[in-house]
Amino acid sequence: MSDSVELVWSRSAVYIHPTKNNKDNIAGYLSLVRPPDGEILISWVPESLIKLSKQDYESYVQVDLSLDGEVTQKNQVFVSKPPSMSVGSLARSSHAFSIKLSDLYSMQMREPSLGWWYGSILLFTKQAETLPVLFFHDDESEVEKRRTKTMQKKRDDWGGEFFMEKLENYVDIRPSTLEKGVYLINPSAQDTLAFAPPVTTSNEVSGPNSAKAATWGDLKWNIFEKLAQVTRYSRKASQSMFDRTPAPLRSMLNIPEVEQLGQDFDSARVFLAEWALGIVQDQEDFQRKNININLNTYDSHFDDFSIVAQSIERRNPVTLEEWESFFDENDGRLTVTAEEVKERIFHGGLEPQVRPKAWLFLLNVYPWDTSAVERASIIAEKRNEYYRLKRKWWENIDMQENDSFWKDQKNRIEKDVLRTDRNIPLFEQSETPHPDPDSRLAQSGANPHLEQMRDMLITYNEYNENLGYVQGMSDLLSPLYVVLQDDALAFAAFCGFMERMERNFMRSQEGMRDQLSTLGHLTNFMLPKLYSHLAKADSIHFFFFFRMILVWFKREFEWDDVLRLWEVLWTNYYSSQFHLFIALAILDLNKAYIIERLHYFDEILKFINELSMTLDLDTVLTRAEELFTKFKLALDLVNWQNNQSEDTKSQTEVTEDLRMLLSREIVDQREQARPPGATGG
Amino acid sequence: MSAPRIAQFKLVLLGESAVGKSSLLLRFARGVYEDNRESTIGAAFLAQNVRLEPDLVVRFEIWDTAGQERYKALAPMYYRNANAALVVFDLLSQESLARAQSWVRELRVQADDGIIIALVGNKLDLLNQLKAESPNSSGKIGISEDAKSYAAEAGLLYYECSAKTGENIEAVFKGVAEKMPINEYFSSQEEEQQHAVDLGASSSGCAC
């Protein structure tokens, strides 16, 4: 049998997922095989292909079911040689592959988790080939079922670990200390130094001498090069990435006629801007897929750092069924950790029916570690509290008639309630006349929801005496009320939301200034070319982001997307200030256009304002997560480098506000007491 | 026909919250009106042309600001270097006129000396409706008289208009456009061009 190989280890129910649709998943066997020349191969072959030969199929099943898939020396099993990567179209269309162990550069292990469900591994070859991601459907694996029955199965183990254990018999596997879950295979000394540096404390004598002798420049190059190799991975491996060419449309924008048109007609400019935006996005997609890195561009920062440290994808939203499965049937306590739930919400968001339940946790109306009974009693308490607070001003006729501050505030609130989300059915104009024709709200007819909105905001104005009502708050309250459809609960949730949003509304504007300034530092750190362009355009006050930051992108996205975005941000999963990474992502997605076409603050403000309702939320969220991952990696690298260097002058400085972006604690900035005579907001 | 000459000026909209600044602008620039339009947060910017003569266009770069008190501190950013300001009030609201007066005072102190200020009373449709409903009312309806006499006293352009019906909107912008220092604009343009030419000539001959 010249074409047969020894089957050393094999595992069934290892799938590839060529598309997001479950129906397209392909079951197969992951195996280690030894050809006659002796060098072990990793192979994955679809079950359908194996079944073509009855003998092969029996052999695979036999090896899979043997103890941990192992075959003893005297009991060798042979199967047909699996197709290699270069076999051609037949192999490619079946997705089968096999690679030599010596060609394996690194691998990434992704443990099973909520939402992903299946653990998976990514293999990276030295030739940077694109291999499909392998998903371990352990629940379908016969051997796992047996292990469960014989009580061998431990809670956390999964198929990927057995594969790695097996692999360790043949190669040296070293975890990267820079990135969790990434393992280097037979790393060279240089690889080890660059990518798996020993973790040292600053007091210790650090690293090998060669590391010290090398300049930061050398080291950094080395690190980026290695990083590029380890993470060369296309986000959608199954999609062809070779047949796309960038559209040459951008050059058309430089044709004088087109330019003239743009100057004469505003609408034409808008049209061109949008059109160009599409082009830019195309080009960026292209760039991202053809990971072709020019290391020279990384002279001092991380601009255009278009490799992705991990494959980042959005998931499906949490369904009601899935949400309920997180809780114990009897006492209603979480059976998974709050962390896991937040991770799940961060990556997928919630289905509409889940929101009224989950938002109360996310907005701290009640803690995650409560039982159903405890939650019911908290709700009762909050309800009483709201009606008590509301009664307090409701019954105070003297204040209502004589306190000019109060009257002013009520006026403001009514003006704003009348123009907040009136396109939402709940807030639509009512045909029934208002019972009190003198009420300012009378112009909208008898719509009780507008009355509720007003009452909640007046109550908040009384409840948070120092801050009071400020324009913008009605934008923050309205989604909560529409989702919860209960004034007392919406009020409680709003108070929870305002804990972190109070800084946006301070009389001194200090909180807004701080955030715009941090956004500036972040842009300078991550997108230095764009930053220096903005500096030339007199725009590094970042005021064109004022609206986005103030009401958390409420005016930039469609209603449903706002709900999704907010629940993602409320998790504090990576950072309590992840909204700044959303802003950064929006800049990043548009930076080419801004740099090429916009040279003045007014142009930039107009462009950014007009992005409203054109942004694709998933694209923005994915980019924000990528940017955060890069940011964190960059800070780690800087820290590591600073630890290596004794000379403080050569150390890279990172401002405190940037370091704070890694914190998941909300930034607590509170308004001072209202000075006498100060008007409301 | 040759292309018209374009003179460009900066105009800023100021005034109490919910008097209709954005609606006024929307009517002027797009010819439409939206009921219950959302409040402006931060600022909006757009450019719109007014044709004064067949061969002369005034191009306004317009800054629309948030009216709310809390964001007042940000206004200087927008009225800095403005050639014109529309200070808008609600013809039915005494408070909004008081706010307008305080904006005028601030502009007089803080803005460019040559700034042209127009006091613009909006919601004329509502005022007319009220007057029609009570034709024999002896009491004063609206605050037109107060506003008019204030404008005359303070030397401001004065208009009453309705963003909702569009009545008089064109007149506001046209009236302000006519007050713009158009000749100065073109002569300073020429000077700048001349200066650029001079600089080009001198830099090539300079040995330092």
Side-chain angles (χ1 to χ4, degrees), chain B residues 101-159:
Chain B
Q101 290 170 332
S102 90
W103 275 119
V104 171
R105 280 193 295 276
E106 177 169 341
L107 286 171
R108 286 273 154 83
V109 177
Q110 304 285 345
D112 279 16
D113 286 344
I115 191 167
I116 300 294
I117 305 174
L119 185 66
V120 181
N122 189 29
K123 309 195 184 179
L124 183 58
D125 56 301
L126 285 181
L127 181 65
N128 290 339
Q129 190 189 329
L130 274 183
K131 281 181 178 165
E133 280 166 8
S134 43
N136 305 318
S137 164
S138 56
K140 200 172 73 168
I141 294 177
I143 49 170
S144 282
E145 298 313 313
D146 292 357
K148 239 179 259 176
S149 62
Y150 166 71
E153 199 178 296
L156 311 172
L157 298 174
Y158 181 77
Y159 297 93

Side-chain angles (χ1 to χ4, degrees), chain A residues 322-392:
Chain A
E322 187 183 354
W323 174 260
E324 279 165 358
S325 76
F326 297 156
F327 294 89
D328 185 283
E329 282 172 21
N330 299 315
D331 64 2
R333 283 185 193 277
L334 269 186
T335 57
V336 292
T337 63
E339 208 44 43
E340 285 170 297
V341 181
K342 286 183 198 166
E343 193 268 352
R344 182 68 185 88
I345 296 172
F346 180 86
H347 283 107
L350 301 161
E351 295 241 315
Q353 317 89 285
V354 187
R355 290 195 170 122
K357 299 168 190 289
W359 281 20
L360 296 176
F361 287 95
L362 288 170
L363 290 167
N364 288 331
V365 174
Y366 35 62
W368 291 92
D369 58 354
T370 43
S371 69
V373 175
E374 285 162 349
R375 288 196 292 273
S377 100
I378 290 172
I379 283 187
E381 228 169 81
K382 299 274 177 184
R383 213 176 277 291
N384 285 338
E385 165 86 351
Y386 176 65
Y387 295 125
R388 189 180 62 75
L389 287 167
K390 185 172 161 181
R391 239 187 350 261
K392 219 165 96 187

Side-chain angles (χ1 to χ4, degrees), chain A residues 266 269 412 415-416 418-419 422 429 467 470-471 505-507 509 543 546-547 550-551 555 601-602 605-606 609 671 679-681, chain B residues 6 16-18 30 36-47 49 59 61 63 66-71 74 77-78 80:
Chain A
D266 217 39
R269 280 181 66 179
R412 285 199 176 89
K415 272 191 224 173
D416 286 344
L418 278 172
R419 49 185 180 155
R422 296 298 302 281
Q429 194 81 15
L467 187 63
V470 185
Q471 187 166 68
F505 298 99
M506 296 163 79
R507 261 180 288 280
Q509 298 289 328
F543 193 76
F546 188 90
R547 180 173 83 192
L550 186 83
V551 292
R555 301 282 181 88
F601 171 56
D602 52 7
L605 179 99
K606 180 166 188 284
N609 273 354
E671 181 61 292
T679 51
Chain B
I6 299 177
E16 166 82 308
S17 174
R30 308 259 182 272
N36 302 319
R37 195 182 152 69
E38 62 192 12
S39 63
T40 303
I41 295 179
F45 171 83
L46 66 82
N49 294 345
R59 179 181 175 81
E61 295 183 323
W63 290 90
Q68 197 114 36
E69 186 75 24
R70 185 64 47 107
Y71 307 121
L74 305 164
M77 197 161 137
Y78 302 112
R80 198 182 49 170

